[in-house]
């Protein structure tokens, strides 16, 4: 048997079916997902999904992380997929619930079920926003985001803006009002979506906290201020990746979110499809298995080393140190690293 065959067999042996789990949120709501575990303690990666994208979309990426030495977690926010209620039309949930309650519940589940293991996060789109909302986000070691923003309409790509305004800021809230939820599956757009999430998106303001001033998703002023402080309290190295053909993840959109993480060391890496020899990546395809050899290693190197891999595609748009930085993990350099990628111990 050749060395390549041996490696293939080893990977197949390591590739396990995930275990279903349920994390109970503070309000008692069950958040359901799947976990890939090793027999010995390893770092664990939580994958935060994009808005109304089922966690099963990230299965191949999570299994790949597992093959490379990590425990991995995927889950569905309330109202979506495995965490959908019987009657979505009478269900209340917004983006804030997805972060304050659902992601928080998963962080606590990992803290109890994976004791002592470092916790990293890979976050897609709104998943990068909900990271800042969780009260326990200080327990995270590193964050890697893809196209992370909160859909403020002024940040959409210019050419796509008229169609996106019609789709997400007219059709979506109107249908959500008529049906009690946004019936996106019938349109072939995404998963059916709670009305409060549809309103969080369609009303998204320049400053995200201002989105939550009107019913039915309103929060009191002191609560909105507390949300902003929660982002600021986070001291975690964060690498934000965007692609030049993502109409949501424009430079202004990515930077708008990053400015809330004032005490984190952050960098923004922007990748063009041509950088990896393809015609298109867009908002969703980073997690498709066709990019296993070209894009997934960018995430893995960051998770392992806390630095951008040497020779990684793209250009660095911005990087900054957090305010009042202290010694420790938060001071890992965000420039391109010169050390080789190694698997977690």
């Amino acid at each position: 048997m050749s060395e390549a065959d041996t490696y293939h067999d080893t990977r197949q042996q390591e590739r396990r079916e995930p275990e279903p789990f349920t994390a109970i949120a503070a309000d008692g709501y069950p958040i359901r997902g799947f976990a890939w575990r090793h027999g010995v303690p390893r770092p664990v990666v939580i994958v935060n999904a994009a808005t109304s994208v089922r966690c099963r979309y990230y299965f191949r990426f999570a299994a790949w992380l597992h093959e490379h030495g990590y425990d991995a977690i995927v889950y569905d926010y309330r109202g979506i997929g495995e965490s959908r209620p019987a009657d979505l039309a009478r269900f209340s949930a917004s983006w804030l619930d997805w972060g304050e309650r659902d992601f928080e519940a998963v962080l606590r589940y990992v803290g109890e079920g994976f004791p002592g293991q470092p916790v990293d996060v890979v976050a897609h789109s709104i998943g990068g926003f909900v990271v800042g909302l969780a009260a326990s986000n200080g327990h995270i070691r590193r964050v890697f985001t893809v196209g992370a923003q909160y859909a403020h309409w002024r940040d959409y790509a210019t050419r796509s803006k008229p169609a996106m305004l019609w789709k997400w800021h007219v059709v979506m809230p109107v249908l959500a009002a008529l049906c009690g939820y946004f019936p996106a599956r019938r349109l072939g757009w995404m998963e059916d979506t709670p009305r409060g999430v549809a309103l969080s998106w369609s009303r998204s303001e320049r400053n995200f906290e201002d989105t939550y001033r009107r019913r039915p998703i309103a929060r009191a002023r002191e609560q909105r201020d507390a949300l902003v402080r929660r982002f600021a309290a986070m001291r975690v190295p964060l690498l934000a990746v965007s692609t030049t053909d993502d109409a949501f993840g424009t430079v202004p959109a990515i930077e708008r979110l990053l400015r809330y993480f004032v005490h984190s060391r952050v960098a923004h890496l922007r990748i063009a499809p041509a950088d990896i020899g393809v015609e298109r990546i867009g908002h969703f395809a980073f997690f498709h298995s066709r990019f296993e050899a070209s894009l997934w290693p960018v995430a893995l190197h960051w998770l392992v080393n806390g630095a951008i891999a040497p020779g990684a595609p793209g250009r660095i748009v911005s990087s900054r140190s957090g305010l009042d930085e202290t010694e420790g993990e938060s001071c890992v350099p965000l420039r391109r690293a010169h050390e080789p990628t190694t698997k977690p111990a």
Side-chain angles (χ1 to χ4, degrees):
M1 181 179 290
S2 69
E3 182 178 347
D5 289 337
T6 301
Y7 176 65
H8 178 74
D9 285 350
T10 300
R11 282 174 61 111
Q12 290 291 75
Q13 292 169 9
E14 291 177 349
R15 189 172 294 160
R16 302 176 181 176
E17 289 298 314
E19 305 169 0
F21 74 87
T22 301
I24 304 301
D27 62 347
Y29 194 86
I31 305 302
R32 297 185 174 91
F34 300 88
W36 287 256
R37 295 174 181 263
H38 288 275
V40 296
R42 300 292 185 97
V44 55
V45 177
I46 301 171
V47 179
N48 280 0
T51 296
S52 302
V53 175
R54 295 189 68 164
C55 69
R56 292 176 180 272
Y57 179 71
Y58 305 92
F59 265 29
R60 291 181 181 179
F61 178 74
W64 183 83
L65 289 175
H66 182 257
E67 291 171 5
H68 285 77
Y70 282 86
D71 289 342
I73 295 281
V74 301
Y75 69 99
D76 282 316
Y77 308 117
R78 64 183 63 202
I80 307 298
E82 307 295 324
S83 302
R84 177 171 175 154
D87 187 357
L88 192 57
R90 299 178 184 276
F91 185 71
S92 176
S94 73
W95 276 343
L96 300 188
D97 294 303
W98 285 2
E100 287 186 299
R101 295 177 174 177
D102 302 355
F103 179 51
E104 174 68 15
V106 173
L107 279 174
R108 290 181 178 273
Y109 168 81
V110 169
E112 296 172 1
F114 300 74
Q117 297 175 227
V119 180
D120 298 329
V121 176
V122 172
H124 183 200
S125 193
I126 203 63
F129 172 69
V130 304
V131 167
L133 296 171
S136 298
N137 60 27
H139 297 294
I140 300 169
R141 180 179 64 167
R142 297 176 185 130
V143 175
F144 179 89
T145 70
V146 177
Q149 34 66 50
Y150 51 86
H152 177 55
W153 68 270
R154 289 181 177 85
D155 296 335
Y156 294 157
T158 302
R159 291 184 179 180
S160 303
K161 189 176 292 185
M164 294 174 73
L165 285 172
W166 171 253
K167 186 174 183 178
W168 304 118
H169 300 266
V170 178
V171 174
M172 182 168 64
V174 168
L175 287 181
L178 291 174
C179 301
Y181 69 100
F182 178 44
R185 290 188 66 182
R186 300 180 201 175
L187 302 174
W189 292 359
M190 55 187 185
E191 291 296 307
D192 293 341
T193 304
R195 183 187 177 204
V197 171
L199 292 176
S200 295
W201 184 340
S202 62
R203 293 179 180 179
S204 187
E205 298 277 358
R206 290 176 182 268
N207 300 317
F208 85 82
E209 63 274 18
D210 293 337
T211 305
Y212 301 94
R213 292 180 297 182
R214 290 187 291 148
R215 295 180 179 179
I217 58 173
R219 294 290 183 92
R221 175 61 182 272
E222 59 270 19
Q223 292 175 315
R224 300 197 303 270
D225 291 343
L227 294 175
V228 175
R229 290 195 297 271
R230 199 170 292 159
F231 278 80
M234 198 170 128
R235 289 170 166 79
V236 177
L238 186 156
L239 175 59
V241 167
S242 66
T243 61
T244 58
D245 63 335
D246 179 357
F248 290 104
T250 62
V251 170
I254 303 299
E255 296 294 324
R256 188 180 299 278
L257 175 58
L258 288 179
R259 68 187 174 91
Y260 280 95
F261 295 99
V262 295
H263 286 101
S264 294
R265 293 174 65 93
V266 301
H268 177 185
L269 178 67
R270 191 156 179 82
I271 300 173
D275 293 336
I276 58 171
V278 299
E279 293 185 358
R280 181 162 179 76
I281 303 171
H283 188 61
F284 293 99
F286 183 101
F287 296 96
H288 194 283
S289 57
R290 68 178 177 271
F291 294 121
E292 176 179 337
S294 55
L295 293 179
W296 293 5
V298 178
L300 181 63
H301 192 98
W302 172 256
L303 295 175
V304 174
N305 300 294
I308 302 172
R315 65 182 181 89
I316 298 175
V317 174
S318 65
S319 63
R320 60 168 171 75
S321 299
L323 301 176
D324 303 321
E325 63 184 68
T326 57
E327 293 299 322
E329 178 63 32
S330 63
C331 293
V332 173
L334 288 171
R335 61 181 180 277
R336 294 178 188 268
H338 297 287
E339 71 276 21
T341 301
T342 56
K343 291 185 179 182

